[in-house]
């Protein structure tokens, strides 16, 4: 831990990423700093747990998409077994759902892989000092997601004991629905006739993420296309138009 007026203590870092060239690049950048030392590296979520047990690092730079066990699961386990080790997710994904999930599992930071080396170094030092760090590119999306969640909570409260028509909003009921809250949001926008791209823009998520949600909705509702899904949702009262 760095303290004012004293020499900087060395921060021990493990890099968990399945791309060796990326690991080598990050390692070279970090080891140029006197107070940062990459003590280990690995390519999957199981190996990072083994390394933490052996090396007891201060920081783990964790990728999300790794074989054997992904970074989200590994983060949760790492925080359970080694709570003193802080996790910074280093990912290509700027979708706020990834940010929420990894932070919920215990990560102290979320960075994008295209960030400048100086920003990565600053983020590591900030997390070591006890702060959280989220890449500026995803901060805005995170705030918008929080606003949407707050709005939905207010809508639920306003509609309690009243029909959704009386609340004057379109809403997807979750009672007796197999869908998650995000899938319910996607289904409501599908009922409005929005394309995947339009849904993504409305929810601030990627078009690929929307496609994944649509596929999950169709599978859970056991239908073959979006039209059937919307019809069933309306009949079951999951969508109020």
């Amino acid at each position: 831990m760095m303290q004012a007026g004293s020499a900087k203590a060395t921060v021990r870092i493990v890099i968990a990423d399945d791309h060796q060239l990326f690991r080598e690049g990050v390692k070279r950048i970090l080891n140029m700093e006197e107070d940062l030392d990459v003590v280990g590296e690995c390519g999957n979520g199981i190996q990072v747990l083994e390394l933490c047990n052996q090396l007891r690092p201060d920081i783990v730079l964790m990728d999300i998409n790794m074989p054997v066990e992904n970074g989200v699961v590994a983060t949760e386990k790492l925080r359970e077994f080694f709570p003193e080790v802080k996790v910074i997710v280093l990912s290509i994904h700027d979708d706020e759902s990834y940010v929420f999930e990894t932070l919920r599992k215990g990560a102290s930071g979320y960075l994008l892989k295209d960030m400048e080396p100086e920003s990565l170094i600053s983020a590591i030092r900030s997390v070591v000092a006890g702060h959280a760090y989220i890449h500026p590119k995803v901060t805005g999306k995170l705030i918008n997601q929080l606003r949407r969640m707050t709005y939905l909570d207010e809508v639920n409260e306003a509609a309690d004991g009243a029909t959704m028509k009386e609340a004057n909003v379109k809403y997807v009921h979750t009672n007796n629905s197999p869908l998650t809250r995000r899938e319910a949001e996607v289904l409501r926008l599908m009922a409005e006739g929005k394309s995947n791209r339009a849904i993504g823009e409305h929810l601030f998520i990627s078009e690929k993420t929307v496609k994944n949600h649509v596929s999950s909705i169709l599978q859970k509702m056991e239908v073959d296309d979006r039209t059937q899904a919307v019809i069933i949702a309306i009949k079951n009262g999951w969508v109020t138009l």
Side-chain angles (χ1 to χ4, degrees):
M1 183 77 64
M2 294 177 284
Q3 297 180 355
S6 63
K8 293 180 178 179
T10 301
V11 179
R12 295 164 55 82
I13 302 167
V14 164
I15 303 173
D17 193 290
D18 60 333
H19 291 91
Q20 184 175 356
L21 287 177
F22 178 78
R23 296 200 308 266
E24 289 297 326
V26 172
K27 181 179 179 180
R28 185 168 59 252
I29 291 169
L30 298 183
N31 281 345
M32 291 176 65
E33 302 297 312
E34 292 183 359
D35 60 320
L36 304 181
D37 182 21
V38 176
V39 296
E41 56 183 284
C42 59
N44 67 60
I46 296 295
Q47 292 173 343
V48 72
L49 293 171
E50 296 172 350
L51 278 181
C52 285
N53 186 45
Q54 297 169 12
L55 303 173
R56 301 294 169 142
D58 301 296
I59 294 285
V60 170
L61 296 180
M62 184 87 72
D63 186 24
I64 289 181
N65 296 327
M66 292 189 294
V68 184
E69 189 166 85
N70 66 48
V72 177
V73 175
T75 294
E76 183 177 27
K77 290 183 177 180
L78 194 152
R79 294 297 297 157
E80 178 183 355
F81 296 115
F82 310 104
E84 72 282 1
V85 179
K86 296 181 179 179
V87 177
I88 299 177
V89 174
L90 197 55
S91 175
I92 61 171
H93 301 290
D94 63 356
D95 189 328
E96 74 274 14
S97 62
Y98 285 103
V99 185
F100 264 110
E101 187 64 12
T102 53
L103 293 180
R104 191 174 69 85
K105 297 299 184 182
S108 298
Y110 194 101
L111 314 178
L112 297 181
K113 288 185 175 181
D114 62 356
M115 73 186 310
E116 297 294 326
E118 294 80 9
S119 298
L120 172 59
I121 293 167
S122 177
I124 291 172
R125 289 172 177 159
S126 180
V127 168
V128 169
H131 307 295
Y133 190 99
I134 300 175
H135 195 289
K137 284 186 178 180
V138 299
T139 301
K141 293 182 178 181
L142 198 59
I143 291 172
N144 285 329
Q145 176 68 0
L146 287 170
R147 286 173 177 166
R148 285 198 301 272
M149 291 172 66
T150 300
Y151 169 76
L152 286 174
D153 288 340
E154 291 174 350
V155 167
N156 282 336
E157 185 176 350
D160 187 24
T163 66
M164 298 314 298
K165 183 176 181 180
E166 291 170 342
N168 197 31
V169 295
K170 294 179 179 180
Y171 185 71
V172 177
H173 295 274
T174 56
N175 291 340
N176 301 318
S177 169
L179 308 181
T180 64
R181 178 184 288 251
R182 176 45 62 90
E183 288 168 350
E185 288 181 307
V186 172
L187 180 58
R188 177 177 63 82
L189 295 171
M190 286 167 53
E192 293 180 2
K194 292 185 182 296
S195 65
N196 286 347
R197 175 175 295 182
I199 293 173
E201 291 174 352
H202 184 87
L203 297 178
F204 299 96
I205 60 178
S206 68
E207 187 173 356
K208 181 179 179 181
T209 300
V210 175
K211 290 180 180 178
N212 291 338
H213 284 313
V214 171
S215 296
S216 178
I217 290 169
L218 298 183
Q219 182 177 9
K220 287 182 178 180
M221 297 181 68
E222 300 181 346
V223 295
D224 298 323
D225 59 57
R226 297 159 66 104
T227 302
Q228 293 179 48
V230 171
I231 291 173
I232 290 176
I234 293 173
K235 288 174 64 176
N236 288 329
W238 299 342
V239 174
T240 301
L241 300 175

